Amino acid sequence: MVTAVRHLGPNWYASVMGTAIVATAGSALPVHLPGLRTICAAVWLLSLALLLTLLCARALHWRHHADQARAHLLDPAMAPFYGCLAMALLAVGGGALTVGRYWIGTTAAVALDTVLFTAGTAVGLAAAITVPYLMAVRQKAEPRQATPVWLLPLVAPMVSAALGPLLVPHLPAGQPRETLLLACFAMFGLSLLATLVMLPLVFARIVTGGPLPLVLTPTLFLVLGPLGQSTTAVGTFADVAPGVVAAPYSQGFGVLAVLYGVPVMGFALLWLALATAHVVRARRHGMRFAMTWWAFTFPVGTCVTGAEALARHTGLVVYDWLATGLYVVLVAAWATAALHTVRGIVSGALLAGPRPAPLAPLPVRVRTTSGAVR
């Protein structure tokens, strides 16, 4: 077991995020199918089990393979995935209140979400500061290295902003509720502005530097994360604001949910089409499964919850259909990633170390008929 976790990086937390969002997004669908709530609760329990398993495995990784752990932290391609730890904690915590409470009870769900939200927010804010700092000071990242992975530590506070308001009704009325709501709004702004600074670097790299390497092509879907999650966040603010903040501001949150969410969801659909086109191209060029395929899950899930929020605040049926259609895509992506991940774990391929680069062949020396060697 100790040897098996040597190459277990923080990117594995993406599987927890992707599983939790299937449960959370499914619980708010406008389609009421028999047994859907039970299925979502079961999926949430699976995400909780995955989280606990990975936390233990990563603890073993840090204890017995500290050299590899430090190497991950100083690797500009791997360090941003520490944002996934924060988002995994937050996603499972939020799922406890949305679907888990039907199995474990509201009291236990609130307690679990309080712990996971607090830990996830602390880790997310630390990652949002530490990872960009290391990229600038220790890793010396260059613009040509920019990929959507760089967005991961910056999106984590947005997940806190979207899921934190779920705890607001469980706090004492008055300042405790208003403080948490406005703290979530502050994290919304923190993440949004940081994303607006980073996203042009990613877009410029794609347009001017050519397509991403095949294994990284699925990470284009990560851009959907801040778009869908921010739309979800403003919708959640509008849901809980009445009675928490003064009337003009609570009404303002309702206006923001529509005036911000509609155009951002439009851009998300544009990016979804662009990313899909790149993935189709990469698949034709031989793209094989890697853990980056989990990028097809959580970001799409945030667009589902964003569309659900727009459906609530606009009353438009088109957003109900959009949420349902995207959820079908999410479930298909999750099932595909989960199946390949299980196969990779059973075969040992996913836990094996990186393959050494093949040795360059020695130059061939040919003797010509004249006796010259070349």
Side-chain angles (χ1 to χ4, degrees):
M1 175 64 180
V2 173
T3 304
V5 301
R6 174 165 177 77
H7 300 285
L8 187 73
N11 56 320
W12 279 73
Y13 286 111
S15 62
V16 179
M17 299 159 52
T19 303
I21 199 70
V22 171
T24 303
S27 67
L29 282 177
V31 179
H32 300 287
L33 298 176
L36 179 61
R37 177 183 296 179
T38 302
I39 294 173
C40 289
V43 174
W44 172 78
L45 282 176
L46 175 60
S47 71
L48 177 60
L50 288 174
L51 176 62
L52 295 175
T53 301
L54 276 175
L55 287 173
C56 293
R58 286 287 296 166
L60 287 174
H61 181 267
W62 271 96
R63 178 176 176 82
H64 297 282
H65 304 288
D67 60 326
Q68 187 74 0
R70 285 192 293 269
H72 285 164
L73 194 58
L74 296 178
D75 182 356
M78 185 61 72
F81 284 101
Y82 274 92
C84 289
L85 167 58
M87 290 186 280
L89 295 168
L90 293 164
V92 175
L97 277 181
T98 54
V99 292
R101 60 190 174 94
Y102 298 115
W103 279 20
I104 65 175
T106 300
T107 302
V110 171
L112 179 59
D113 188 26
T114 300
V115 172
L116 294 181
F117 175 78
T118 303
T121 299
V123 173
L125 291 174
I129 298 171
T130 303
V131 174
Y133 174 81
L134 289 176
M135 290 173 66
V137 175
R138 297 293 299 276
Q139 299 166 359
K140 304 296 184 183
E142 300 178 5
R144 61 184 177 83
Q145 297 175 304
T147 70
V149 172
W150 286 10
L151 294 171
L152 287 174
L154 306 179
V155 179
M158 187 66 78
V159 180
S160 293
L163 297 178
L166 297 177
L167 287 169
V168 169
H170 301 282
L171 292 176
Q175 290 213 4
R177 292 185 180 183
E178 185 174 1
T179 299
L180 178 57
L181 178 59
L182 293 185
C184 291
F185 193 37
M187 288 187 286
F188 166 85
L190 179 159
S191 180
L192 177 63
L193 295 177
T195 298
L196 291 177
V197 171
M198 187 68 74
L199 188 55
L201 294 176
V202 175
F203 188 70
R205 158 64 184 85
I206 296 170
V207 173
T208 63
L212 294 175
L214 297 183
V215 71
L216 291 178
T217 301
T219 64
L220 288 171
F221 276 70
L222 295 177
V223 176
L224 296 175
L227 303 176
Q229 198 66 278
S230 61
T231 303
T232 303
V234 293
T236 310
F237 297 156
D239 291 338
V240 303
V244 176
V245 294
Y249 302 112
S250 63
Q251 295 170 358
F253 277 120
V255 173
L256 180 65
V258 176
L259 295 187
Y260 174 89
V262 171
V264 170
M265 182 58 66
F267 180 69
L269 294 177
L270 170 66
W271 192 274
L272 176 61
L274 176 64
T276 301
H278 275 266
V279 168
V280 170
R281 173 194 172 277
R283 191 64 173 161
R284 289 176 177 174
H285 283 74
M287 181 185 72
R288 292 190 170 187
F289 174 76
M291 288 301 290
T292 52
W293 281 33
W294 282 99
F296 297 140
T297 57
F298 189 79
V300 174
T302 66
C303 291
V304 176
T305 56
E308 291 168 346
L310 286 174
R312 292 195 306 271
H313 292 285
T314 64
L316 295 178
V317 178
V318 65
Y319 286 114
D320 288 333
W321 284 105
L322 177 61
T324 303
L326 289 175
Y327 188 73
V328 173
V329 174
L330 169 62
V331 172
W334 176 83
T336 302
L339 177 61
H340 282 83
T341 300
V342 171
R343 286 179 177 176
I345 293 174
V346 172
S347 67
L350 286 179
L351 295 175
R355 296 178 180 179
L359 296 175
L362 296 175
V364 178
R365 305 185 74 182
V366 180
R367 184 175 296 276
T368 64
T369 55
S370 63
V373 177
R374 62 179 182 180

